[in-house]
Amino acid sequence: MATSLAAQLAQVAANSRTSLNAKALKASHSKSLIWEPRVAAGQTFAELYQLCHEGFDELCHLDSRFANFGVSLFSEQSQEADRIQMNAEENAALDKRVVSFLHLVGGRLRLMPAIKAVEWLIRRFRIHEFNTATLITTFLPYHTIPAFVTLLSILPAKIPLEYRFLDPYIRSLTAPPRAAVVQQATNRPELLSAISQYTLESCRAKQEYPGLVSFWGGVMAEAVNGMLDKMRSGRRSIQLENDHTLLQQIGPVLSEAMVMKEVPGVQIASYMIVAILAAKGSLNDVALAAFMDQLVHGWTVDTYRPGLVCLCILAQHRSAKQVSSRVAKALIKVQDLVPTLVEIGREHRADKLANGLALAFIDRLSKKGDVRSLPAVNSLLLANLLQDKQIKVVYKAMLLAAHKVNDEVDEDGHIRKELGSSLVSLSQAGGDAGDVIRSAIEEIDFDIEELELKLGAAIRPKLAIEQGPDGAEEEKRAETASKQPSLDSTFQELAKLESSTDSCLSQEPGNLVNDLCTVFLSAAATESDLERFDAIPVLSRPLAASNSFYLSLYLRIWCGPFPTLAKVAALERVKSRLKESDCVNKDFQAIIPYCAVALGDPAKKVRRAAADLVAVLGSLLNASSEQPRLLWGAKDLYGKAGVPNGLDRDALKSLVHSVLIPCLEESVLHEDHIVAALVSALESSKGSSGKEAEKRHLSHSARLAILKFLCGHVTETPLLAVKLRLLRSLNQIRSISGTSRTDLLLPLLRSWAALNREEASGLAARDSVEEALVDKAVVDVVIANHAAGLETFFQLINDPKTAVRPTLVQAIFGRIVKMWSSMKSDTKFSTARAMFDITQTPQPGPVIAEAVELLRTVELTTDILLDFIDSLQDEVKLATEKPANKRRRVSTTEQSRSVGLQSTPELKTALNRTTFVLELVQDSDPAKHPELLPSLFTTLSDLHHLSTLIGSELGYLQNLVLSSLLAMMPAYKDNKALVIDASVGHGDILATCIQRSSSPAVINAALLLVANLARTAPDVVLQSVMPIFTFMGSSVLKQADDYSAHVVNQTIKEVIPPLIDTFRRRGRNVVASTKDLLASFVTAYEHIPSHRKHDLFISLVQNLGPEDFLFAVLAMFVDRYAASDNMISFTTQMMSSFSVEIQLQTLIKLLDLVSDIFKPKPALSSVLLGSDGTGEEDTQKVATKQLNLLPHLLANRRLKREITQLAARDDMETGKIRDLYATLLESILTLATTVKTKKALYNRCGDALSNLLNLLSIAEFIKSVEALLDRPNVGLRQKVLRALELRVDSEGTADPKSREALLAFLPQLTAVIRESDDMNYKHTAVTCVDKISEKYGKKDIDAVAAAAATIAGDHCLGQPSQSLRVMALLCLASLVDVLQDGVVPVLPVAIPKALAYLEQSLVGEEPNAELHNAAYAFMAALAQHIPYMITGTYLDRLLVCSNASAAAQLDDESNSNRTHCLQFLAKLVHPKVLYTALNQNWASAADRGFPAVAEYLQTLGMALDKHSKVVVAKNVPSLSSIFLSSMDLRRLVVSGQTKTPISPSELDEIETMIGDDALKMVYKLNDAAFRPIFSKLMEWAWTGLPKSDAQGRTLRLFAVYGFLSTFFGNLKSIVTSYASYVVESAVKVLSPTNNLADDDGAEKELWKRVLRALAQCFEHDQDGFWQAPAHFEAVAPVLVEQFLRAGSSSTTTVDNDNDNDGVIEDLIPAVVELAAAADSQEHHKELNAALLKHLRDGQAGVRLAVVRCQLALTSRLGEEWLQALPEMLPYISELQDDDDEVVERENRRWIVEIEEKLGESLDSMLQ
């Protein structure tokens, strides 16, 4: 139970957000989006509130909706809010406010104020813990920015399930990629749901932003796509189930998103997702239809086009059937539906939507009578959207609907009328759609004309026949019409009317004609009714030959907007009537134009009937006699006017027989053939040939007569359709025999233009023609260059009445445009001037717009454009000119203000006029008008003046001028006859333009123009180019666009080369002359976009000339920006873009420039770098900048690689590179000499030299510097060799080419050593030999041996120069290493000199450390490699020198070199030679003092360590002599026999070292070899000196017993037997009569050493040596007697007595160890008795020492010692009452120890 409770409590604690842990609370408070945790942890809420509230205030300024949160989340009281203390209800309310704020602030999270506001919510309300999901979702659209990573770092350990995929990114603190979010949304629907719900909530609250919408749409689309792929299955049932599941998941979201009308972005995104669903999902028709309905339910004006695209995709995946009524109803309301679908159809298939839509429209038409959709259906059929099968289906559906429509749906017949007209027009349509429709009609064998006629008969209103003009008759007609009388009653009424003689083609035919036409349509359905109609009296059929009413009525019908069968019937009626006999002698030429119109009818049946009629007319013409015939309608055909321009018989025959009848068959087949036939007949027939052509050829008079005849009818006829069809032919005829069509038809234009808008529209509607077509046909009668026609045009254009007919205005201007190419130059000029004047009219209108468009469209000549431009100058002058009485000198600002105030309208007019003219010039291909250039420059100057006046740059106008000038440049370049005057100052104008403008476009254009002028006419701009480049640096170079980059490159490419050539011709320093130009570019560097910098400066340098200018550019760069990392990288890249030769030349010139800085009077450096040499500090600073760059340029890997490649070729170019390299090396060395006193600069030169040396391989380097080594300047040669030395240092040993080159160079170096008198030069050569030999010497022993002989000889080592000697010795040391045995011939000369120099180095007050070290280096090399060459004599001298060196207190390096040499000597020299030398040199070492002796003993120790036992045994005499001598050192020192005093402590250290060395020797000797030595040692110590020398004996024994202590302590029981040689001496020393020194101190120290040595021997006795009575008895009594020494103190208190200390420290341990060694009861008893006897000594010190000894013995031996306790008890008892407290106290301790050992108390025994 307890365990379960603990687990529950642990779980509660884990889930709790509260904590009493102060550390945890601090960590929680440190979570921040802005500050580091350590900073955030120390912030108070008051400080945070102040900082974060600033961000909130800025948000409120950006969006007032944030203000509502100022009273809650960001109020003053919020500082005290604590969510932990709030209840659930308060927290829920707070959550709502937080969520609302996060939704609103989401769109501004890239702004710092928003981050500050969110920071407050995180720190105060801990929303990252309480509102984690909402916070993450708010930031998720910004998952790639750093703020999101910061958010991840502060999230709690447990985050919501849908965001668990962020765990890896939280751990690594990296931004999650978009792919991770999409993958999670695909696989985890809860994430997709969370994002969708968040987005929809934001949309509902109107808090969405484009970033959120696009993020949601993108993730949703990709996730749905992924889901569809993942759910794809081959089994239909599973696939359907998966689709159903997916729709359940995302359907509700999409459904809501599609109807969010106020958020078009979300709607469009949902359309995209639905399209993906439809395209990849297996949705059924029901689902697709539902999506379509929902889409149109919610779309708006902003979203209907994307909605249409989505509908197309949905419909394409749906069955081929009509769309729903909701979709159809919505689409009817869309404006420009069909054009939009056509546009969409170019990218997406829209045929199924168009098909379904057309079927739905037709269904609505038949069921609901919705006729609005009929035009859309027509357009859909003709728009090439539908496939052929779909077109047929839709058209058949229309036919079916036409049969279905009844009076219930169509009460007034309007629908059937429109439907019938549509069916007919579609059946006559052209193109592929028309062919498909006609094939559909043929498939169903359907008479479409009959249907239309029936529809028309059913829908025509049954109008009453006009009976009288009075009101009663009108009422009667209205009543009759309302009653819908039958056709019979109509005929009866018609029969009552009298016959009419008026023509039906008069301008106002009256209501009777319209009524008759209506009745005819009704009667035309059946033949019988048609006959009855034809017979009514009012038609006057019998009088048709003389009366124009009958025929003119039928003419009007077949040329009018009537059904096809009606037209055919009318033609048949006329044909029948003309066959009657009374028509034979009549001239019916007036019918011919109308027959021609019928021959052009779209309906084939009409054309067939018209052809029959023409044939009848032809037969009548043949049958008539030659006598003049009566002209039908001669006087009243057109009312008051008769037949105009009647034809004579010949012309009429020509028209009928030569023109019309031959083309009848073709005309029946195609409606346009009659037009072509008329045009062909009326045009000249010069090109015709053959008999047929001759027959058809018409004379000029006949053609002119026909033209006049037809033009007359066109002018007079009231039928617009007749005018249109005849004008199709006539407008193609320009003139015949000097008579133009304009002469004949101009009255038509004037009469048509005289109509007002309503009249013209009424006529067009009456005849069912488009007004625009009539306008176009009428104005086309005017031909080019016809003065009257053009005058008429201008009159009409300027007539205000014409302006209200926009289509007529458009037609007039369109005609002018069409005629323009045919106009003469003067006509063009006058027309253009007139149009230009119109455009300057202040009141806007369609005429002005069309005039502007005309001038922009037509091709204006140079004269016209020049006239326009010249007119600007007067306009500008007028606008800027002041009244005379106001002229005074004013500033530019005042002038601008005053002119602006006085002439604002004039200035505005001038600007408008200028703008228009310049735009015309721009649009007129200025390249074709180069003569405009001077005027355009003048205009540009005027624009500068205008800009000053009005305070505006007029950038657009300047750009127009500049672009036009730019276009003219190729013409001036190609045509040498065109010359630009250089004296006018065009360059100054351009410079002004560039300097004053802030428009990048203007600046770019001006620069390009400057570039072109520099190439075409350089003298024009070169004088002004420097200010231009200066200004470029602060303007166009900063632009990041590609075009600006192109402009700059072109300017550089075209301007700079001629500018440099100019400077060269004038003999000026080109670099100094272009300093300002270079400075402008360098100054602009930091503002130039990073991606353009490299290419720009490369282009600049290339055009300047890299061999002259690259160094200057580099120098100016580092002078301005210093050698920063970025600058180093940039300059290195720039250098790498050029050849090796250029780079080396640049480096040389750069060094020359730096050298120039240090000259007394700097030249080029003062110009480029501003260094005048006056200030030392400034000069050094400038030079430092330059030299900081140099090493980096030389370290360029690419340069090294290219040089290596060139060297491999070994051609002339390679030789040139070597020369440049040598020059560069010389320059660096020379500069280094110049700046040698300036450490920083000198170091930079060293770095540069180091990098330079690495550029070439060593072989190439030697080849390059050979010429320098031949120079007479020794200093230079020495520097070159030093450079070689550095180069050798950096060279690897594996390169065979380098090795060969350097070894081959050795003879040259040895020659330098032999021949040169300069010690420094020799020194450098020796150094080089040293380096070369060290690296490569073993590969060529002979060459190195020769060098060694030279160096060891008098030319080198024998020279007096100390540095040369040092270098020679060091070099010889290296050569020994290389040559080894090969160096032996040199040594007889070298070793004596080396030892002599070593001895010299130690002479004097200041030893020569360098020479000392060099000599030791040489000797060490010999000792290491050929030690046999170090003979006894050499070794003696060397050891003597070493002793002196050790005593000389040299530096650590010298000491190290010496000890290094001695180590080799100790280990490698022959042992006998070494030990003999050491033995002989002991005295020398002793005389030199402690350092020499210590080093001597170290050497001896190393030798003993190195040599084997056999070797040591062989050299025992020498070694024993060494050790005896060394142990006598103390005596010699004390007696003053050594030259250098040694302190006692140093002596102790020496004796310790002697003991260690002696042990090393002992270890390597057997007993037989060592025992004599030991015996001799003991004898030597005691008897080796005269008896009188007691002090000397004491000092010797002191050293010997020190060794014995070490000897017994280390060898232990092995050497216990050696104690037999020691006992006698020890007893003598311990006895009171030892005949030793009187010095108490020395004697006492010797006493202690003896006791210690004996104690060591007693301690390690394992063989019972001391148990032997002879040995024990010899020592024990003497030792016990030593306790009496403790009583030497005169005081009674013995605690601090020195004697007691010695007894306690040394004597007691010796006695204890003897007792332990003499493990015998008898010996113990004897020893105990002797000790007990001293307990009754009168001296307290003696008693105390013995008690302490007894205590130690009891403690060490225990019960074994206490066997004599009975003898001890009396003494113990006595000591309990001892007079000395210390003795009494120690006795008690002894008693306690006895009791502990025995385990019982002694109290009873002591009583």
Side-chain angles (χ1 to χ4, degrees), residues 757-903:
R757 184 172 184 177
E758 291 74 15
E759 291 172 342
S761 299
L763 290 175
R766 181 198 69 186
D767 291 346
S768 297
V769 295
E770 295 183 26
E771 183 182 356
L773 293 177
V774 180
D775 292 333
K776 183 178 183 305
V778 169
V779 299
D780 280 351
V781 303
V782 178
I783 63 174
N785 303 310
H786 193 282
L790 290 175
E791 183 64 26
T792 302
F793 275 171
F794 293 144
Q795 290 174 358
L796 294 176
I797 289 171
N798 293 317
D799 189 350
K801 295 180 181 179
T802 309
V804 299
R805 294 179 60 183
T807 56
L808 179 59
V809 173
Q810 292 174 4
I812 292 173
F813 282 99
R815 180 56 186 164
I816 296 175
V817 171
K818 191 174 181 180
M819 295 187 302
W820 185 265
S821 60
S822 302
M823 287 183 180
K824 298 177 181 178
S825 297
D826 54 347
T827 306
K828 287 182 179 180
F829 186 88
S830 59
T831 303
R833 169 50 74 177
M835 293 294 135
F836 184 72
D837 293 338
I838 291 173
T839 61
Q840 302 307 308
T841 306
Q843 291 79 16
V847 174
I848 296 177
E850 291 297 330
V852 169
E853 185 62 26
L854 182 142
L855 290 175
R856 295 184 187 277
T857 304
V858 300
E859 184 177 351
L860 301 177
T861 63
T862 302
D863 294 337
I864 295 173
L865 293 174
L866 195 58
D867 178 66
F868 289 173
I869 296 173
D870 291 342
S871 69
L872 297 181
Q873 299 176 16
D874 298 334
E875 192 74 23
V876 172
K877 184 177 180 180
L878 179 64
T880 57
E881 195 174 47
K882 294 183 182 180
N885 59 351
K886 295 290 183 78
R887 291 185 181 274
R888 61 187 177 89
R889 290 184 62 85
V890 293
S891 67
T892 303
T893 306
E894 290 177 349
Q895 187 181 19
S896 175
R897 266 200 308 270
S898 62
V899 173
L901 290 172
Q902 296 175 13
S903 307

Side-chain angles (χ1 to χ4, degrees), residues 160-305:
L161 180 63
E162 61 268 24
Y163 290 110
R164 290 287 174 85
F165 76 97
L166 293 175
D167 283 340
Y169 306 102
I170 294 175
R171 290 193 296 270
S172 62
L173 287 184
T174 55
R178 179 182 177 85
V181 180
V182 173
Q183 183 181 13
Q184 183 71 6
T186 304
N187 298 321
R188 305 288 299 197
E190 55 268 18
L191 175 63
L192 189 61
S193 176
I195 298 174
S196 299
Q197 292 304 321
Y198 180 91
T199 305
L200 294 180
E201 287 174 11
S202 297
C203 295
R204 295 188 202 107
K206 298 181 181 179
Q207 295 174 335
E208 79 288 342
Y209 58 94
L212 174 63
V213 173
S214 62
F215 174 74
W216 170 77
V219 172
M220 188 80 168
E222 292 185 58
V224 169
N225 184 59
M227 290 178 180
L228 289 169
D229 291 336
K230 188 175 68 171
M231 294 180 174
R232 196 174 300 282
S233 173
R235 296 176 62 182
R236 178 67 177 171
S237 58
I238 297 177
Q239 183 65 54
L240 292 175
E241 183 179 352
N242 290 341
D243 292 340
H244 181 69
T245 303
L246 181 59
L247 280 179
Q248 285 183 327
Q249 289 178 6
I250 66 174
V253 173
L254 294 176
S255 179
E256 183 177 359
M258 291 170 75
V259 296
M260 286 189 165
K261 298 184 178 182
E262 296 182 355
V263 192
V266 168
Q267 286 187 302
I268 294 171
S270 64
Y271 298 162
M272 176 175 63
I273 298 162
V274 169
I276 294 173
L277 266 177
K280 299 192 69 172
S282 303
L283 302 183
N284 55 29
D285 286 355
V286 176
L288 292 171
F291 275 126
M292 295 174 75
D293 290 346
Q294 190 75 356
L295 191 153
V296 299
H297 176 63
W299 71 4
T300 63
V301 177
D302 296 326
T303 62
Y304 87 90
R305 193 184 187 286

